[in-house]
DNA sequence: CAATGATAGGTAGATTATCTACCGGTAGAG
DNA sequence: CTCTACCGGTAGATAATCTACCTATCATTG
């Protein structure tokens, strides 16, 4: 997992639907075709940061598998933040590409 | 600067020619069109790591501007390492792209 | 000749984000 | 009743970066 990308990835998957931590990790792993493994020792602290920044909000609810789970959903600020992170990522990749050259 | 990319960027610029720290930073900045700023508090520790890993070797020499400078050049292991880092980077970008989707 | 900016190398300490390794618990299948 | 999947968390180590500081010389300009 590239440092600095986890926040963006979490916000992205939450832009589709609210989810609990376990589901967020699974979605990132599945959508990356298992290329990204979300360590849950990284995930929960990251979710705390997102909440502290006002980008996600939480509520406790029963999961589809009948467990008590903390659900995360994007705030309005969180939706804006996705754009910020996307642009930062795109520019970072472009900048690295310019240095690394083709192939 | 994305964490985890500096080593690769340094190895890449050294694959063209040997250079001192100041020149390495300038080359990365110029080739990225100033999108990447190489903090020299990050650069020198990174160069130490690369040397400790046996990917670069150093010698002191006079620079083009007539100053005593430590020049870095790739070892055979360093050349191989570029490929390793390139592949890792390419796969990481691809994985993130799959999660983030188009646009 | 003195001041300044560009060149050059370095470190200490703080910050940030990640990973490792633990802890706790429940639901449901077999 | 045991085992797997599900679910949430933290403490401490690790790694890489950034901030801020130090030193020094060369070359140009006033």
């Amino acid at each position: 997992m590239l440092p600095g990308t986890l926040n963006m990835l979490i916000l992205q998957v939450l832009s589709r639907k609210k989810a609990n931590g376990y589901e967020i990790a699974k979605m990132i792993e599945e959508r990356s075709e298992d290329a990204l493994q979300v360590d849950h020792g990284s995930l929960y602290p990251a979710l705390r940061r997102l909440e502290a920044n006002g980008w996600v909000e939480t509520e406790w609810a029963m999961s589809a598998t009948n467990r008590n789970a903390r659900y995360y959903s994007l705030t309005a600020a969180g939706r804006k933040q996705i754009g910020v992170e996307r642009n930062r990522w795109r520019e970072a990749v472009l900048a690295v590409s310019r240095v690394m050259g083709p192939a």
Side-chain angles (χ1 to χ4, degrees), chain A residues 8 15 22 28-30 48 50 62 67 71 76 79 86 89 93 102:
Chain A
M8 177 177 76
S15 73
Y22 189 85
I28 291 173
E29 285 161 13
E30 286 167 15
R48 298 278 179 153
L50 295 177
M62 280 296 162
R67 277 162 187 84
Y71 277 77
R79 287 193 189 280
R86 266 183 181 285
W89 169 250
V93 170

Side-chain angles (χ1 to χ4, degrees), chain A residues 4 26 29 37 41 43 53-56 59 62 72 75-76 82:
Chain A
K26 286 291 177 195
E29 285 161 13
Q37 297 300 312
L43 178 65
N53 282 316
W55 297 330
V56 303
E59 53 177 323
M62 280 296 162
Y72 298 85
T75 61
I82 296 178

Side-chain angles (χ1 to χ4, degrees), chain A residues 46-68:
Chain A
L47 287 167
R48 298 278 179 153
R49 291 196 300 268
L50 295 177
E51 191 182 4
N53 282 316
W55 297 330
V56 303
E57 54 192 7
T58 77
E59 53 177 323
W60 284 88
M62 280 296 162
S63 74
T65 51
N66 205 33
R67 277 162 187 84
N68 221 347

Side-chain angles (χ1 to χ4, degrees), chain A residues 1-11 21-22 24-26 28-29 36-51 56 72:
Chain A
M1 178 73 69
L2 265 181
T5 60
L6 185 55
N7 284 2
M8 177 177 76
L9 295 167
I10 292 170
L11 292 174
Y22 189 85
I24 291 169
K26 286 291 177 195
I28 291 173
E29 285 161 13
L36 301 176
Q37 297 300 312
V38 181
D39 192 305
H40 84 283
S42 305
L43 178 65
Y44 292 111
L47 287 167
R48 298 278 179 153
R49 291 196 300 268
L50 295 177
E51 191 182 4
V56 303
Y72 298 85

Side-chain angles (χ1 to χ4, degrees), chain A residues 75-87:
Chain A
T75 61
R79 287 193 189 280
K80 282 185 197 162
Q81 186 61 19
I82 296 178
V84 172
E85 307 249 4
R86 266 183 181 285
N87 286 336

